[in-house]
Amino acid sequence: MVTAANDGGEVAESAAASAVVVASAPADTVPPAVSGAVVLGGTLTASPGTWSGTPTLSYEYQWQRCDADGANCVDIAGATDPTYTLDAADQGHTVVVVVTATNGVGGDTSTSAPSVLLPAPPLNATRPAVDNPEPTVGDTLTVDDGTWTGTGPFDYEYQWQRCDFFGANCVDIVGETTDSYTLTDEDAGHVLTVVVTATNDAGQATTTSVPTPAVVLVTPKPTPTPSPTVTPTPTPTATPRPTATPTPAHPGPRPPTATATAPPLLGSTPDGLDLGNVPGSLVADTSCQQLAGNAKYRRLALRGIGTVRVRAYTAGPATKLTPILVTTQISHAKTMRVSVRYTLDGRKLRVGRKPRYKAAIAPSRLQRLGVHKLKATVARKGKGKRAKPIVLKLKTVSCRTLFTAQRWRTTAGAGLRLRIDSRTALSRLAFKVPTALLPRQTAKRRTVGFMRVFVAGQAKRKRYALKLAPRRHGKLLLKAAGRPLVRYVRGGLEVRGLPARSAVAELTIYRVTKRDGVTRPKRYRLRVQVLRPGARTLQLSVRPRAPR
């Protein structure tokens, strides 16, 4: 309304009504933003950005977790405050905030730019491995890093380890910290592993590679002696027949033949002869010997000392891991100073401390088969006189068949290795193994391990993958023309159709926790039947240590 006035009076007039004023809905002019330290446990703060629209505006927040590229975002349950604390679930992801602005007219949403990637620490998915099915002294091994999850790139560190034949009791090899290693004579008969450590900005993780097969020491083939030139003689002089050498009463090592001065190599063991010399066999004379009677014992009363009891014993075949043990017990050792010395065939043995003065005799120390002289000399210190030595005669014979088993844990489950070493050809085996140690059949065929066979006369060991048939398709692990048959039977496994002159058969089987369940650390007894045509069935049993 406008009022006009002068000396004559005033007049008021109203203008025509304007158009109706319309309120506007919110619209973002500057998108929201995220600030804060992108670290595990760090707090991010959302800025709502700048919005146009009729006041007053209210804001709501929803935090989302995205992939590393900021895409495929998903709401984080309960994260609706202006701040958000990063946790372990965010590792390997970026984070955004969705801001919704509303007023009396309506509402709109806007999404912030992705935050910096929160790195995830390394996690091993596939174990490292050394791709060499038959490592030999002089070979250079190279480790494959395996597969790792987490935020790359990764930095890798390595440590090579030397283990016993069964892949246990591993010790670092000093100075070997690269991804390759050249095998030396010290590695012969041992299994090698590599400890691989992966590192990124979020942390580090360590895993051990799949153990290699035992390292082989190849004996060089002797240079053949050239045949001498035959000089004809007019009349050959008759040579008297030599006196026959008497056969020793106890078995001993085979004398070298005229055509070879080294132990037989692979390929030189004809049918019908001893297979214990196949490289890698655990029943070779220098790897396994049997103490006749499993124990020797002698007790003697020594003047000035008392009753002395010397014992040599073993619970089964003497191997590197289970040697012959020697102990000495003295009735009054606690009240006097006594020294004990052992010699085996004139060579000194290392003696432990009292009260039992233990010593160990491995087959490599015995060397030959037959009778060995073990002498224990007990003396009282400070008397100046040695006591009369106590002598035990130990008779050792060859190991004919050896059954060994090993259990261990893996990153995904557990492993089981069953092995038969024999001096006579193997053809059929029946293993009694609890179901709790074997993988289960699933809806699909899957690889559950492998089988190795050492055959005399063949330089390369045979290796076969074991693939478990799916449910309702039998219980086969291996069946193909020219290959052995391996299958599940009631109570365990059966192996048939091994190649001719098979000296060693080894089965390695893995259980995967996600598919086969947890393998409990219970100790089981495992048995095997070695069946040979026309021969008596041999039954052996072992109780391998449960994995920790």
Side-chain angles (χ1 to χ4, degrees), residues 146-198:
T147 305
W148 298 79
T149 59
T151 305
F154 302 112
D155 293 326
Y156 296 102
E157 296 178 359
Y158 310 91
Q159 176 60 64
W160 290 83
Q161 293 185 331
R162 184 182 296 119
C163 314
D164 59 27
F165 184 87
F166 300 102
N169 304 313
C170 302
V171 178
D172 290 350
I173 303 176
V174 178
E176 299 300 334
T177 55
T178 63
D179 63 348
S180 61
Y181 172 65
T182 301
L183 297 170
T184 67
D185 290 345
E186 295 182 7
D187 301 315
H190 291 269
V191 167
L192 297 185
T193 60
V194 190
V195 178
V196 180
T197 301

Side-chain angles (χ1 to χ4, degrees), residues 105-448:
V105 178
D108 194 11
T109 61
S110 181
T111 303
S112 70
S115 68
V116 177
L117 177 69
L118 178 62
L123 180 64
N124 181 254
T126 304
R127 291 178 66 184
V130 177
D131 187 15
N132 190 329
E134 190 173 350
T136 305
V137 171
D139 289 351
T140 298
L141 305 182
T142 302
V143 63
D144 180 342
D145 298 327
T147 305
W148 298 79
T149 59
T151 305
F154 302 112
D155 293 326
Y156 296 102
E157 296 178 359
Y158 310 91
Q159 176 60 64
W160 290 83
Q161 293 185 331
R162 184 182 296 119
C163 314
D164 59 27
F165 184 87
F166 300 102
N169 304 313
C170 302
V171 178
D172 290 350
I173 303 176
V174 178
E176 299 300 334
T177 55
T178 63
D179 63 348
S180 61
Y181 172 65
T182 301
L183 297 170
T184 67
D185 290 345
E186 295 182 7
D187 301 315
H190 291 269
V191 167
L192 297 185
T193 60
V194 190
V195 178
V196 180
T197 301
T199 306
N200 66 358
D201 294 337
Q204 66 178 25
T206 299
T207 191
T208 303
S209 71
V210 178
T212 68
V215 178
V216 178
L217 176 62
V218 176
T219 307
K221 190 172 184 178
T223 304
T225 305
S227 302
T229 304
V230 178
T231 303
T233 56
T235 305
T237 304
T239 303
R241 183 173 296 177
T243 304
T245 304
T247 303
H250 303 284
R254 294 173 179 264
T257 61
T259 57
T261 57
L265 302 176
L266 270 176
S268 64
T269 306
D271 290 331
L273 293 186
D274 192 350
L275 300 181
N277 290 322
V278 173
S281 173
L282 297 183
V283 291
D285 292 343
T286 55
S287 301
C288 182
Q289 294 188 28
Q290 183 75 45
L291 179 62
N294 288 336
K296 281 287 184 178
Y297 172 77
R298 189 174 180 190
R299 181 178 64 181
L300 192 64
L302 299 180
R303 186 176 179 181
I305 295 178
T307 302
V308 178
R309 299 172 177 84
V310 181
R311 185 183 179 212
Y313 61 95
T314 179
T319 66
K320 181 179 179 181
L321 298 179
T322 58
I324 298 173
L325 296 179
V326 182
T327 60
T328 296
Q329 291 180 294
I330 305 170
S331 57
H332 301 296
K334 293 183 179 180
T335 60
M336 65 179 70
R337 298 178 61 195
V338 176
S339 65
V340 176
R341 292 190 306 113
Y342 298 123
T343 59
L344 178 70
D345 297 332
R347 303 187 306 271
K348 291 183 179 180
L349 296 178
R350 185 176 180 179
V351 186
R353 298 181 178 180
K354 62 180 182 180
R356 300 186 65 188
Y357 303 96
K358 288 185 179 181
I361 306 174
S364 58
R365 186 84 180 186
L366 293 167
Q367 292 293 321
R368 61 178 176 83
L369 300 173
V371 178
H372 301 269
K373 186 177 181 180
L374 175 66
K375 183 188 292 185
T377 304
V378 182
R380 186 172 179 179
K381 295 182 179 180
K383 292 296 181 180
K385 289 185 178 181
R386 291 191 178 275
K388 180 180 178 181
I390 301 173
V391 178
L392 274 68
K393 291 185 177 180
L394 309 180
K395 180 182 178 182
T396 59
V397 296
S398 62
C399 296
R400 305 305 302 174
T401 306
L402 183 66
F403 175 36
T404 53
Q406 180 193 6
R407 295 173 59 194
W408 69 94
R409 288 197 180 278
T410 68
T411 54
L416 172 66
R417 179 167 294 157
L418 307 170
R419 175 171 171 143
I420 294 290
D421 293 73
S422 178
R423 287 179 178 265
T424 54
L426 300 169
S427 59
R428 181 184 169 193
L429 306 170
F431 295 96
K432 187 173 183 180
V433 182
T435 306
L437 301 183
L438 297 176
R440 302 172 181 172
Q441 287 184 296
T442 57
K444 295 182 179 180
R445 190 183 186 208
R446 61 185 178 118
T447 300
V448 295

